[in-house]
Amino acid sequence: MTKSIIAVLFAFLLASSHVAAEEGMSGSEAWLPDLITDTPEEGFALAVKLSRMGVKTTQPDITVLKTLREAYARDPDSLIAASHVIAVHFRTIAAANNYWRD
């Protein structure tokens, strides 16, 4: 993975955690009450949602976001990086759910 992709991912994660902390302090209803899900499939869906929320947080201008989507949707390195972010979120969710074992 190139240094520029790593830098973008780091900025994405940093911005996501900053906004989540602010939302938690504001007293508004949390969009992420916890990481517990009933099934691995629900866990994966949550991992995708976390990734999408991170992108929205990183680029809040919807016009810019849609314009950029055209470029990264055709870039294999960007798609692999996005898959990696989802995998990291899924790994965290799986651990929080004790890997769905009793």
Side-chain angles (χ1 to χ4, degrees):
M1 190 177 304
T2 66
K3 288 182 181 182
S4 62
I5 292 173
I6 292 171
V8 169
L9 290 173
F10 179 74
F12 156 76
L13 294 172
L14 184 61
S16 298
S17 63
H18 177 69
V19 168
E22 285 181 358
E23 286 178 359
M25 290 187 295
S26 70
S28 64
E29 186 174 329
W31 64 268
L32 180 63
D34 61 42
L35 297 177
I36 305 304
T37 63
D38 290 330
T39 66
E41 290 81 8
E42 288 178 12
F44 183 77
L46 180 57
V48 171
K49 181 175 182 171
L50 287 169
S51 299
R52 292 177 63 109
M53 292 298 287
V55 170
K56 285 181 179 180
T57 300
T58 305
Q59 180 47 263
D61 185 328
I62 194 72
T63 304
V64 173
L65 184 63
K66 287 184 177 183
T67 302
L68 294 173
R69 187 175 295 155
E70 183 69 27
Y72 69 74
R74 295 179 185 349
D75 179 16
D77 290 334
S78 293
L79 296 173
I80 291 167
S83 295
H84 179 77
V85 171
I86 292 169
V88 169
H89 287 314
F90 185 67
R91 180 176 56 201
T92 301
I93 293 163
N97 284 279
N98 196 25
Y99 303 94
W100 293 278
R101 294 184 198 143
D102 292 323

